[in-house]
Every structure is written in C-alpha cells, then in structure tokens.
Amino acid sequence: MTAVFKIPTRITTRLFTKPAAFICRPSAVFPGAFSRGYCQNTYNHPATTMTSTLESPQFTKQVVAAMRALYPEQLADKAWDNVGLLQENIAVTGQDVSPTVLLTNDLTVAVAEEAIRKRASVIVSYHPFIFRGLKSVTLADPQQRILLQLAQANIAVYSPHTAVDAAPGGMNDWLADMLDGHGVETKRSICQPISSSITSSLPPAFFNSGYGRLVELGHPVYLGNIIKAYAEGLGGLDHIMIAAPKDKKVTTIRSVGICAGSGADVLKNCDADLIVTGEMTHHYALALTMKGKVVVTVFHSNSERKFLKKRLQPQLQAQLEKEGVKHPEVLVSEADADPFEIWDVSKMPAWAFGKE
C-alpha cells in the first residue's frame, strides 16, 4: 500500500505555495501498522479516514434523560457548580451494558470499586467528583485514579448536585418535610429564588425553584422535638452539634431556615429562629448565636445522604421505567459515608493505640 502524508501548511509556507506531500510505503516505516486505509491522500484528492461511531450506551442516555426530567440542570448554580454527565462510557457493538445505576453522595475510591463489583454501568453521584480542570490523569491522585478505574470498567458518571437542592420536592424540601410531624401547620418559602428567566423555559412544576427553605411554624415547637425529628429523619443520628446563645435559653422555635450541605451563604438573609444545615464555619455560627439564633449542624453529607434512599431511588426507578427501560436496577451505595465521626474519648477504638 502506498500512503501519502501531508506536511502542515504552517511548516511549508516559506517553501511551497501549496502544502507539500510526500509518498512512501508506510510498512517500511511502521511495519504492520497499516493493515487498513487510515492514511490521508494528497491535498487534491478526497481524504480516506476512519469514521468514528463512538457513542454512549442507550441505557446511559436514558439515565441522563431521567435525571434531567427529575432535576433539570438549568436549576444548578453554575456560577461555581459542575453538574451533568461528567464522565461518559462507550457503547460496544454486540454487548449490552448492565441496566444498573449506583447512587452515591460522594464518589470515592471505595464507591468506584463497589460500582465495579456490582456491575453498575452508571454512577449518579450527588456531589461532582470533577470540579476543576485536570492537567494530568495519574494513579497518584485519588480523584484521577477513580476516573481511570471507571473508564477501564466503562462506567459513566452523572452529577445533579445543586439542581437537586433547588428543585421543588428535592433535597431541601425533603429536609423541610421533617418538620411536618408536629401537628402544626407550616408555611414554606424559598430563601434564594431562581430567576424566572431561567425557570420559564422549564415545565411549570419547576417555576417555583430556588435554594434554601424557610419554614414558619403555626405555633411554637420545642427545640428538643425539632432536634429529635432531624436525628430520626437523617438516619437515626446519636449526636448533633448545636450552637445556641449563652445568655438565654431558647426553648421554643417559630421558624426554621434549612439548607443541605454548607448553607451559611444561602441562609445569610433568612430570618429564622433556628438554622439547620450540614456544616457552618465558626464565625457564621458565632454571629448567629449573638443574634439570639440557634444553629444545628449534622456534618455536611449527613444532611444529604438519606435523601438518596428515601427519595431519589424510587424517583429514578419510576422515571427509568417511564423512559422505557426494562427491569432497571437502582442501587444505593453501601460504601458511601461521611468522612467525619464523633469519638467518645473514653471509648476510642483499639486500633488508635496500635492494637488489633
């Protein structure tokens, strides 16, 4: 086979009026490398190229469509967030991918390995595992190792993050719903509404979207009862962190500001007796207690994780069936966990002292 290679125009500008071409037999240069016609012809002949047919598996497309139907990406705070299909997988001719989705709050190495073991073809990770541009992809970095492992296993990753926070019926409404069990009427509003210029292009169900929730209670509710409601609703938590005024006892609550994750910025203009969020910096909490407010924090991902099991798993299952997927399997990760724990110093684990 005779192949013709083109020298780029920018290299030949000073030498030729047209891009130069030279002819060689590539087998002499690259033995065995040219069994098919992958070489380019001269500039005045049609190019012979390999047509790319790479695309996502149908199931991946259906998962993405289902997630966008449930939680449109337009609702995400794209000023800083990174949502959508973050890692794609590839359809292989003659091979069907497993119709299995693994839901997780955080995509860690342990979760990636769990997805591979359980033969998931798509991971829906609430938090994005890629936030910034990558300058390398190596095994030395845990995030990049995950990317390589999942690419090798042909697993896609989708992240909805703040789209779930903002949507009606999403993460923050789920947290607000935990206040409904006190036999008291509640009035709910959005702390940071999303502009109608964004929501007007979406179905009417998403018109009233935004970040954070303010719940006004019809009559005072004891602080202790609200704390118990959140401890139970978030999976049976034994310990919750409280910041309360030191100069007075706040025993009853009339209003609650709610934001999953790190909610200080979202709730900064929310005038509520009690703030419920995942985490808050020292100075934000200190300022609120000096204003007579109470702050409840449960650790960042503890404020989010149970949503996957309670709401997203059945929602996605039903939506995939609506998309035409036969027998989809939506799993919730067992390896996913908040990185923080609270230790009783009188009962620390033996391994902390070098013992088995």
Side-chain angles (χ1 to χ4, degrees), residues 86-253:
L86 303 188
Q87 179 161 327
E88 202 160 0
N89 55 352
I90 299 172
V92 179
T93 303
Q95 296 182 20
D96 292 331
V97 299
S98 168
T100 302
V101 185
L102 183 68
L103 306 182
T104 186
N105 200 77
D106 295 297
L107 181 47
T108 62
V109 171
V111 172
E113 291 172 348
E114 178 187 15
I116 294 168
R117 286 195 311 273
K118 294 180 176 178
R119 301 194 63 215
S121 60
V122 182
I123 295 172
V124 172
S125 176
Y126 168 72
H127 285 144
F129 84 120
I130 299 175
F131 256 118
R132 300 171 184 84
L134 302 177
K135 293 187 176 181
S136 64
V137 182
T138 70
L139 295 174
D141 180 278
Q143 176 197 25
Q144 295 165 17
R145 175 184 165 184
I146 292 168
L147 192 154
L148 289 168
Q149 282 181 294
L150 296 182
Q152 184 182 45
N154 202 27
I155 298 175
V157 181
Y158 183 90
S159 174
H161 203 199
T162 50
V164 172
D165 297 351
M171 182 75 74
N172 286 315
D173 277 322
W174 170 69
L175 290 171
D177 289 345
M178 295 179 193
L179 295 171
D180 291 342
H182 300 284
V184 56
E185 291 186 6
T186 61
K187 179 184 176 182
R188 192 177 303 188
S189 58
I190 295 173
C191 299
Q192 288 188 4
I194 293 177
S195 169
S196 60
S197 64
I198 295 174
T199 59
S200 61
S201 63
L202 299 173
F206 298 104
F207 285 178
N208 193 30
S209 297
Y211 312 110
R213 298 293 184 267
L214 173 63
V215 179
E216 298 173 71
L217 304 172
H219 59 72
V221 176
Y222 284 120
L223 173 63
N225 289 338
I226 294 177
I227 290 174
K228 282 187 174 181
Y230 277 106
E232 181 181 350
L234 294 172
L237 302 178
D238 293 324
H239 301 89
I240 287 179
M241 290 183 288
I242 308 291
K246 305 302 181 186
D247 57 348
K248 66 175 182 177
K249 297 286 191 294
V250 179
T251 57
T252 59
I253 300 297

